[in-house]
Amino acid sequence: MTTIPQSQDRSAFEQEQFLKILSREEALARFEAALFPRALPGETRKLGAALGAALAEDVTAPMDVPPFDRSNVDGFAVRSADLAAAGESAPVRLALNGEIIHCGTAPKLQVAVGTATPIATGGPLPRGADAVVMVEHTQLAGSDAIEVRRGVSPGQFVSYAGSDIARGEALLRAGTIIGSREIGMLAACGLAEVQVARRPRVAVISTGDELVQPGEALAPAAIYDTNGAIVAAAIDENGGGAVFLGAIPDDEAKLEAAMRAALAESDMLVLSGGTSKGAGDLSHRIIGRLGEPGIIAHGVALKPGKPLCLAVCDGKPVVILPGFPTSAMFTFHDMIVPVLRRMAGLPPRSDAKVNVTVPVRIASELGRTEFVMVSLVEGKDGLIAYPSGKGSGAITSFAQADGFLRIDALADQVPAGTDTEVTLFTPHVRVPDLVIVGSHCTGLDLVTAQLAHAGLTVRSIAVGSLGGLAVARRGECDLAPIHLFDDKSETYNTPYLVDGLELVAGWRRMQGIVFRKGDKRFEGHGAKDAVAAALSDPTCIMVNRNQGAGTRILIDRLLGGARPEGYWNQPRSHNAVAAAVAQHRADWGMTIAPVAHAVGLGFIPLAEEHYDFALVTARKQRPAVQAFLDALGSDEARAALERAGFRPA
């Protein structure tokens, strides 16, 4: 096991005994045992500010609701005994009393034998009356009397005092989450304020020399701090009050000062980064000096999230999340949210789950519980779950996934075709209206924008042309974007279709060699000569594309059997190829012209490829598919594609 450099502080040195991998269950149990039981701080809030808070104590009704007997209908307050003999052939005549009872009007006259008093819905029942007859069941008999042709029973259309809420009864229990209904109950009892659990104040610090706050200029090799904003929002979502203190560089003295100040002012401290036990990671070394008992767990058998660090310093939880956004959010929701909600007086999260089928094999690592984010689509026999496959550093993985599935620590894979359970990120399944699986292109966003503006949801999953065709053959998507060249027929896409699929023409895009302008190995040459020059120079590094991509087929045809340096570097997108060249990690690769021009790279045209769609015939008449086809052929989409450098078919 890698050890951290020794600190001069003995307490930090002694913390090294905790640097071993714990199971998820053991780590969480240790963490909670070091924190609970604990008192739940409360505060008084006005009703308008109590929404979403948890009650800190039971609330007893201080009064009856309603506070008086009241009418449930518009009609007449009567004595039920007066109408005992009433019927269609024997109407009973009642004299009208000289008042009308409205809401908020206190009755002044008694309802004597043979009389009735007009009363509105919600009006207080007058003395002497024990029922209300609906106005529809009466008929005026002059200006001062009514005739009633049906009897009423005692209490008919009357709500008695305390029938809704009785004085002294338990109105709401401690721990109840205050929603609009609870606020209505409290207001009905005249309560203007309520005692609730105080939101834990949670300090959030990002760590790392490479971090830049959004809105500032991005230096070379620097990245924007996404974790600070994500973690703060997640804290607020789960009952805490986040206070983001910014990003602290890898300076031990500065970081320790910031951590001490944060703990002094807050109930909890959450940091991101600085958990991987490397020389530049300081946070966990500082914890040993901040209070007892210190580190509870440093390293949890989770994927993503293995380097999670959990600590308690003088009764306050301190959490160091992994630096990668997806790792940070998974570990936060799985390990930290239960503790945070308990500190906020909130009940555990109630996550919705659905049964799904996994169509592809998912490899896993023995010994670590793994969480795999998935996107859901509607299949022939139920929901299908596709793994996102973007890795723990991807910000969009968490935002675009519908949920996650769990792989047990004792399993090394999820076989294709497995039926399993997915935990949703939202209370309900959000099955998209249109599912597109295959090769991705920036032009696709220009077409689907019209669908989004029309209120349709589109799910696009990038798995490459061949992967998309496999999904389309199984009927698990609507359309599969493809750009596959067939050597025998020397045509694009059509030879790859099978029964049940039909081709929809998309657009043409120029594929070619991308390089940094001024590189004489490529400048002024055709594609074949440029590649020959690259292959003759052992220092020239290429960047390839993933297997299954149409671009990869073109590259392999161009290279023949050659496997130059960089061949096994296989990113999944055109943008990644361009970035590798622009950032000097590679010297050349293959991408499409619009991407090359967007980042200012040189471009040698090779072939205009056909980016088309394999349409699943059985799904052709679905409204969202028809909307896509209409959008694809629209003047608006064609103009947008041309502006972006594509040539509509």
Side-chain angles (χ1 to χ4, degrees), residues 77-151:
V78 298
R79 299 164 65 96
S80 59
D82 288 345
L83 300 177
E88 288 297 328
S89 60
V92 173
R93 185 184 181 93
L94 299 176
L96 292 177
N97 292 313
E99 69 174 348
I100 299 176
I101 302 173
H102 299 287
C103 289
T105 301
K108 297 179 180 178
L109 302 177
Q110 179 174 333
V111 176
V113 175
T115 67
T117 298
I119 189 169
T121 301
L125 203 67
R127 179 182 174 87
D130 64 358
V132 176
V133 61
M134 293 178 67
V135 67
E136 294 92 330
H137 299 158
T138 66
Q139 185 173 353
L140 287 174
S143 60
D144 57 357
I146 59 171
E147 287 184 348
V148 184
R149 284 183 163 79
R150 66 172 64 184

Side-chain angles (χ1 to χ4, degrees), residues 2-5 19 274-285 298 307:
T2 303
T3 58
I4 53 174
L19 301 185
T275 65
S276 297
K277 307 176 187 175
D281 295 328
L282 310 171
S283 307
H284 65 275
R285 302 212 295 270
H298 186 197

Side-chain angles (χ1 to χ4, degrees), residues 360-383:
V360 295
R361 176 182 177 272
I362 304 176
S364 187
E365 181 179 338
L366 278 172
R368 293 170 65 183
T369 300
E370 182 170 0
F371 297 106
V372 179
M373 284 179 293
V374 296
S375 297
L376 301 179
V377 301
E378 193 74 58
K380 294 178 181 177
D381 301 314
L383 292 174

